[in-house]
Amino acid sequence: MRWIVRRTVFVLCFALGTTTWYILAQQGKPFVTTAPPAEEATVNQKNIPPDSDCAAAEDAAAIPGQSIKFGPVEPLYGTANRRKIVLRESADPSSAIVARVEAGNYETAMILDWTRDAMRVRFEANEGSADDTAVRTQSYEGWTTWDAVVPLASAVVFDAETGEVVARVPLGEGASSVIYSPDGSRAIFKSAGSEGGQTSYEVRMSDFKLTRSLRSSESEYVGALFYGPADGALYATIHWLDSSPLGKENHAGLFRIGEEGAPNALMDLEINEGAGVLSRDGLLWFFARPKSPGEDRLTVDVVELSTLTVRNTFTLFGENVPSNANGFVLSPDGSELYERLYENTGVISVVDTRTGQVVRELPESATEGWSYYSQDDLIGDSLLLRVSNDGAGEMHESYGTYWVGSSGRALAQKGISRAVETGGKRYAVNEDGTRLFKLDEKNRIRERLPIARPEVFKGGKGAEGMSVFGLSATPDGKRIIMLLGFEHGC
């Protein structure tokens, strides 16, 4: 069952603290472990006292964060989806044929360039192998169609009104979220994962061309990632796979990423299992302070990203409070938080994020199995809830998708797997990403539109196991971005 596998992978990624976007600060002051300035301050390089661990780390031979920097777009790869692949001179389908390649099952090709309808690939020479890879005495390079080679991950951009695909973008494995710049001119396709060597890609939104890569090292990885609302620069929390060079365990550094890397830590953060969640308007960041196992309370700081200071702090209470803020579901402006605070009650609490008080409850969400929802699943005042009805997990195909709101739980119409809201309009896609649904104010399907997916056809082995990993709407509401990936990893 695809969505259960993805959910398991998703939870594992979150448990490692890697599907995060932003930062943490103490109320009115940055979260530094050294003595803070006497007056309220915003986050900047001067916030680190000269005798702090961060300052000492700057003088070290291996500067924390220096290896994480922008660079040229890194090579992208895809899998052969046809046994016989025609390579042409250009993206024009009528251009001259330069080669006909016989590809083995699941054989890898390098992706060199692409348009909406074609991609330029390179098949290397090889001696064949047991996995049915064809013997090839020389390398071949040329343009082919998207049905011939399937990228390890990709973004499909389509018009929100017509469903027409306007761009396709190949990505590296693990791409799971989109982060937009304040002016909407740039975005980051962020890769999840707690291992070093992860790569995220920046895209130019005017034509959806990748412009540069942001890669972690083998010993460091990016957790939180965001464009600053005030300056438009890219900020990141950087975590260490082994011991922290800041001299403390369970600590990460907040860095401003420049062209030459991030040699100066802006602050030192105490992070246990992740770095929280961002409100959809990009202005607030929610970070939970570490808590002890079994503790029935979770303290949450609400950070204003324009100033990098804490707006307020509140505490969640309940036997089922999470260990971190990674799974929080927020209203678009961050004023309300949706969380199941107690086990076996079937109630999802809606919390005022200024006071921490429960303002209402969503009833009838109880099931005998487990259920799952994520940040993008709040449409209007209803959550799109995925439910394992019999509690049997992956051994059975008994599951359902429901809308849960103030009026109770209602079965979602067949096909709805992920949904997104933008500009007062509501959309959904199916699990395979081949159908776009326009929804009405009650989240009922009012129109069905096909999404062109040329790589999906009977016998296309390279596309087996690919499904929707994320759905996002551009800030202007004109485009919807669907992230596709494979289920075997995060």
Side-chain angles (χ1 to χ4, degrees), residues 113-127:
D113 198 0
W114 59 90
T115 66
R116 183 192 66 174
D117 301 311
M119 66 176 72
R120 184 165 167 255
V121 300
R122 178 181 176 85
F123 285 93
E124 299 291 350
N126 62 67
E127 298 178 354

Side-chain angles (χ1 to χ4, degrees), residues 329-344:
V329 172
L330 302 170
S331 59
D333 63 357
S335 62
E336 292 184 333
L337 164 68
Y338 293 69
E339 185 61 60
R340 186 178 283 110
L341 300 177
Y342 298 93
E343 296 180 358
N344 304 320

Side-chain angles (χ1 to χ4, degrees), residues 226-376:
F226 69 97
Y227 290 100
D231 59 6
L234 195 67
Y235 292 80
T237 56
I238 295 176
H239 304 243
W240 292 271
L241 296 175
D242 299 316
S243 59
S244 168
L246 298 178
K248 308 176 185 70
E249 296 300 322
N250 297 324
H251 277 247
L254 171 67
F255 294 82
R256 187 178 189 273
I257 307 295
E259 296 294 335
E260 300 303 321
N264 298 313
L266 303 180
M267 64 168 66
D268 171 22
L269 312 176
E270 184 180 5
I271 295 178
N272 184 19
E273 294 182 339
V277 68
L278 171 73
S279 62
R280 282 186 240 174
D281 60 12
L283 300 179
L284 296 176
W285 176 246
F286 290 70
F287 186 95
R289 301 180 187 178
K291 74 181 187 73
S292 302
E295 190 176 357
D296 63 355
R297 66 177 62 194
L298 186 70
T299 301
V300 181
D301 293 293
V302 184
V303 180
E304 289 185 339
L305 294 178
S306 59
T307 59
L308 299 185
T309 57
V310 169
R311 184 193 72 179
N312 68 286
T313 298
F314 64 92
T315 301
L316 296 175
F317 296 91
E319 63 184 27
N320 197 44
V321 291
S323 60
N324 55 58
N326 294 335
F328 282 177
V329 172
L330 302 170
S331 59
D333 63 357
S335 62
E336 292 184 333
L337 164 68
Y338 293 69
E339 185 61 60
R340 186 178 283 110
L341 300 177
Y342 298 93
E343 296 180 358
N344 304 320
T345 63
V347 172
I348 296 174
S349 299
V350 183
V351 178
D352 185 309
T353 60
R354 281 195 176 271
T355 65
Q357 299 298 309
V358 175
V359 294
R360 64 184 182 279
E361 294 180 331
L362 305 184
E364 298 182 21
S365 61
T367 67
E368 295 180 2
W370 52 261
S371 60
Y372 163 67
Y373 53 88
S374 64
Q375 167 71 343
D376 295 328

